[in-house]
Each structure stands twice: as C-alpha cells, then as structure tokens.
Amino acid sequence: MMPYPINSDRNKPWNNLPLLPIDKDLYEDIQVFAQLGNAKAALGRLQGRSIAIPNQGLLINSISLQEAKASNAIENIFTTDDELYKAYSEQQHKQLEGPAKEILNYREALWLGYEYLQGDQSFDEAYFIKMYRTVSQFNDGIRPAVAQIYIKEGGSGPNAGKASYTPPRGPGILEEKLANLIDFLNDDQQYQLDPLLKMAIGHYQFEAIHPFRDGNGRTGRIFNIHYLTKKGLLDYPILFLSRYIMDNKEDYYATLSGIAQKGNWKNWLLFMLKAVEITANLTYNKINDIISAKDAILEAIVAQNNISRPESLVSTLFTEPFTRVKHLTERGLYAENTARKYLDELSVMGILEKRMIQGNSYYLNLELYRILSE
Ligand SMILES: Nc1ncnc2c1ncn2[C@@H]1O[C@H](COP(=O)(O)OP(=O)(O)OP(=O)(O)O)[C@@H](O)[C@H]1O
Ligand SMILES: [Mg+2]
C-alpha cells in the first residue's frame, strides 16, 4: 500500500494535501466496516421513523434548532435555551446579536443548503460559499492566497496555542483542491464508496483545505447533514450530529489532526461513524418522545371539549417551544381573544407556562422544552 503522505511540519501550509480519492487500504479495515454497519443500521432506523411523522416540518424545526445549537457550542458560543427559543419565536433574528443569532444563522443555513441541493443541483463552490456566508455573516468567499491562517492547539497542555495544523495557501491552490473535493462528492460512478465513508472523508478534506477565513468547522458540519439528505440517506436535515462531535470535541480534534500528522484515517473514520450511530439513535429517541408528547397533549385538549381546532393548535404548539398569540392569529386559526383565552387555559392545565418577557407573553411548551433540553 502507498503510505499517506503526511505533513511533517505543522507550521507549514500543507500544500501537498493529497487530492481525493484516498487509497482503499486506508479505509478497508475490519473495524471500520463493522462500525459502518452499525452506523448504517441506526441511520436507516431513524430514516424509517422520520417518514412516519405526521406534519414533518414541525418537528424538524425543533430538531434542527438543536443541531444548530450544538454545532455552535463547539465554538464556545453558549446560550441558554431560554434566550434561544425566545429569539426564535421572534422570527426576526437579523436584528439579534450574540449567541442566539449565531445559532439561528446556522439553522438558516441548514435549511438554505437543504433547499439549494434539491433536484439536479449538486455540490458546487457556490454551495460552500453560501453556507459559509450564512453561518459567518461575512460577504467574502475563498480566502485570499496571502492570508496566513493556522489552527491552534486547544486546551491547556504544553502545545496550547501553537499550530496543530496549517492549511494550504497560494494562488489557485484552494480552488483546485475544493474542485477536486466537489468532484469526489458528486461523481459516484468514478468514486464508488459507501456514502457514509464519503461523507467522513469529505468532511476531513474540507476541513483540511479550510477554504474560508473562519466558519470552516460549522460549514463542514452542515455539509455532513446535507450530504446525507442529498444522497437520500435522510429525507430531512434532522440528524443531530454536532451534539456528539461537541460532546467529544477532544477526539474530534485529535482524530482530525491524526490524518495530517500520522496518516491515520482509520481513527477518524471510526470516530465519525460512531458519531453517526450514536446521534441517529439519539435523534430517533427524541422524535419518539416528541410524538408521544404531542399525542398526549392532543388527547388532553380534546378531552377539554371547549377548544376548537385542537389538531392545528397542537401542531402550532410543537413548531417551537415558545408560542405567542400572534403565531395562532397569523396562521388564521383564531381571533386574538380566542387565541389568548386558549393559551391561558392550557397554562392553567399545566401544559404551557406563561412567561412575561419585556412586556410580551410567551407560552412555553413544557414537555417539548424538556425533551429538547435534556
Ligand atoms: N488538525 C486539524 N485538521 C483539519 N481540520 C481541523 C483540525 N483541527 C480542527 N479542525 C477543524 O477546524 C475547525 C475550526 O475552524 P474555523 O474556526 O474556521 O471554524 P469555525 O466554524 O469558526 O469554528 P468551530 O468549529 O470552532 O465552531 C474545527 O471545527 C475543525 O472542524
Ligand atoms: Mg472560528
């Protein structure tokens, strides 16, 4: 087997980052295939469950918000769920500042890219730039040839702050490597490989190229989800992959670094496949919990007898954790007085909790909030 040409000097731009595909021997391994089997089974189960969800869009809203939150936490953007959900229920996050805004940008990118890639549209440079711009809110594109960037070693160890990896730079180099990656992703005839392996290899390659001045981590994690939806492994961008990555951040960085430093693709692939398996199961459980909660609440409301259009009401309550009177009126469900009366009634029943924030009433769906927060 051809050894993978490593980058021996972490401070030197890795202009020799090999083009894809990688040699078969780097991933044809019994452990990798065993883990691939587990990941595929879990993902298949999630996909099977997700098509059975009535009114998919509603649940997906909430779950994609969680993915966004987790991915952003990687960059140490922490926020309380309260802030986030409140911001979200405002639907005007362009005027927001801070963590909640970052998260909503990410969530927006999740949907934007998902829609962009519908139909015949395949991955292209414009896709990556669109994702980058949406998460980072910058207006530029691929970083200029002269920009000096490197990835810092995290933590508090002896190497903290020093370069753990320096991505390529120079005229045309990033463009060439990105074009090769895009080709690898789109051309399944020439590059026949299990889609989960292609996703993991693609994510690494993207991070190694590091085409943008910031936001490469977030863009690459969004890409993972879009790759799965584009290739038909999932119908909707609901896999909550960043949660696992964020909970295992040390391993994420270490296994990424292991490729340039030791040519160790195996550990990286094992890491990503494990991430898919664990988070597919986690997302599966969350979906089940949300559906059960929704059914139980619907039942309670129907039993109440005096509330009209209970189905639509419950659907709205499960679109996002905080509901406002205007969410019901804007959907044309009820007049304002009725909407308020119902929400207050549900608060008395203990299904919702009414909170006053800056003079406005927000009704928190307690059970949905609990499921999403745990
Ligand atoms: N040794 C490495 N080799 C390749 N890529 C790496 C390595 N270490 C970290 N990375 C990637 O670089 C990302 C950080 O780059 P950047 O700051 O551009 O992205 P970000 O989205 O702003 O940050 P974050 O991922 O922290 O939210 C990490 O999330 C990871 O995906
Ligand atoms: Mg950054």
Side-chain angles (χ1 to χ4, degrees), residues 74-75 151 164-165 204 207-208 210 214-218 221 252-253 256-257:
I74 289 176
E75 216 198 19
I151 295 172
S164 68
Y165 174 72
Y204 174 74
E207 296 305 329
H210 228 70
D214 195 16
N216 297 284
R218 283 163 286 167
R221 291 188 292 275
Y252 177 50
Y253 289 122
L256 283 171
S257 293

Side-chain angles (χ1 to χ4, degrees), residues 315-374:
S315 289
T316 311
L317 297 180
F318 277 82
T319 305
E320 53 211 67
F322 276 109
T323 301
R324 300 193 57 184
V325 167
K326 69 176 182 194
H327 295 159
L328 297 171
T329 55
E330 277 164 8
R331 271 165 223 210
L333 279 178
Y334 314 108
E336 196 178 321
N337 285 343
T338 313
R340 192 179 315 278
K341 190 179 97 189
Y342 287 167
L343 292 176
D344 283 334
E345 211 169 310
L346 294 180
S347 304
V348 173
M349 288 168 75
I351 291 170
L352 304 178
E353 187 180 290
K354 186 174 180 172
R355 293 194 184 171
M356 297 302 292
I357 305 171
Q358 287 154 6
N360 296 312
S361 326
Y362 291 82
Y363 295 85
L364 178 63
N365 180 338
L366 290 170
E367 197 49 20
L368 179 61
Y369 182 77
R370 187 192 62 72
I371 295 166
L372 292 177
S373 307
E374 73 192 3

Side-chain angles (χ1 to χ4, degrees), residues 2-264:
M2 285 254 299
Y4 189 73
I6 58 168
N7 187 29
S8 47
D9 185 352
R10 299 175 195 186
N11 293 296
K12 210 175 127 216
W14 197 14
N15 288 357
N16 293 327
L17 166 70
L19 295 179
L20 297 176
I22 60 171
D23 196 285
K24 272 194 171 54
D25 292 329
L26 294 163
Y27 57 83
E28 284 190 337
D29 172 278
I30 230 163
Q31 271 177 296
V32 170
F33 283 128
Q35 186 53 50
L36 176 62
N38 295 340
K40 283 185 86 83
L43 196 60
R45 198 168 72 120
L46 171 62
Q47 165 61 6
R49 186 68 181 112
S50 74
I51 48 180
I53 304 172
N55 233 336
Q56 295 215 350
L58 307 184
L59 292 181
I60 291 159
N61 254 347
S62 304
I63 292 203
S64 59
L65 199 57
Q66 293 295 294
E67 161 66 19
K69 192 181 153 217
S71 184
N72 280 275
I74 289 176
E75 216 198 19
N76 293 324
I77 296 170
F78 289 101
T79 180
T80 62
D81 284 333
D82 268 27
E83 271 175 71
L84 174 59
Y85 295 142
K86 182 188 148 271
Y88 181 47
S89 74
E90 293 297 348
Q91 304 278 355
Q92 294 169 331
H93 69 271
K94 296 278 178 242
Q95 288 138 45
L96 286 168
E97 284 304 328
K101 179 178 169 145
E102 303 274 333
I103 290 167
L104 295 173
N105 289 338
Y106 184 94
R107 185 184 169 287
E108 186 182 328
L110 214 47
W111 284 105
L112 216 64
Y114 172 72
E115 273 154 25
Y116 180 80
L117 293 167
Q118 294 290 312
D120 291 338
Q121 178 62 54
S122 44
F123 289 100
D124 58 7
E125 197 180 284
Y127 159 80
F128 284 105
I129 292 176
K130 200 190 244 316
M131 294 302 98
Y132 156 71
R133 287 184 175 172
T134 310
V135 297
S136 71
Q137 300 286 301
F138 292 137
N139 285 320
D140 58 349
I142 294 180
R143 65 186 151 82
V146 291
Q148 310 240 348
I149 65 158
Y150 66 95
I151 295 172
K152 285 196 191 84
E153 193 88 53
S156 53
N159 290 325
K162 292 194 192 137
S164 68
Y165 174 72
T166 304
R169 63 168 169 258
I173 291 187
L174 301 178
E175 287 79 0
E176 180 209 351
K177 296 198 191 290
L178 195 57
N180 163 259
L181 166 62
I182 286 165
D183 206 33
F184 172 78
L185 297 174
N186 292 329
D187 192 341
D188 293 327
Q189 266 6 81
Q190 194 182 346
Y191 307 108
Q192 280 185 23
L193 195 59
D194 186 277
L196 285 183
L197 291 174
K198 283 186 87 165
M199 177 197 85
I201 293 168
H203 181 80
Y204 174 74
Q205 193 74 2
F206 178 79
E207 296 305 329
I209 298 169
H210 228 70
F212 305 115
R213 63 180 154 121
D214 195 16
N216 297 284
R218 283 163 286 167
T219 302
R221 291 188 292 275
I222 287 181
F223 154 77
N224 289 336
I225 315 291
H226 289 155
Y227 188 80
L228 298 178
T229 52
K230 181 69 198 169
K231 300 293 170 173
L233 279 79
L234 278 180
D235 283 351
Y236 292 96
I238 51 170
L239 187 69
F240 189 12
L241 200 56
S242 295
R243 162 76 169 274
Y244 182 91
I245 293 178
M246 132 95 187
D247 287 349
N248 297 277
K249 207 167 146 179
E250 304 285 311
D251 288 347
Y252 177 50
Y253 289 122
T255 51
L256 283 171
S257 293
I259 296 178
Q261 290 171 14
K262 291 175 249 162
N264 190 343

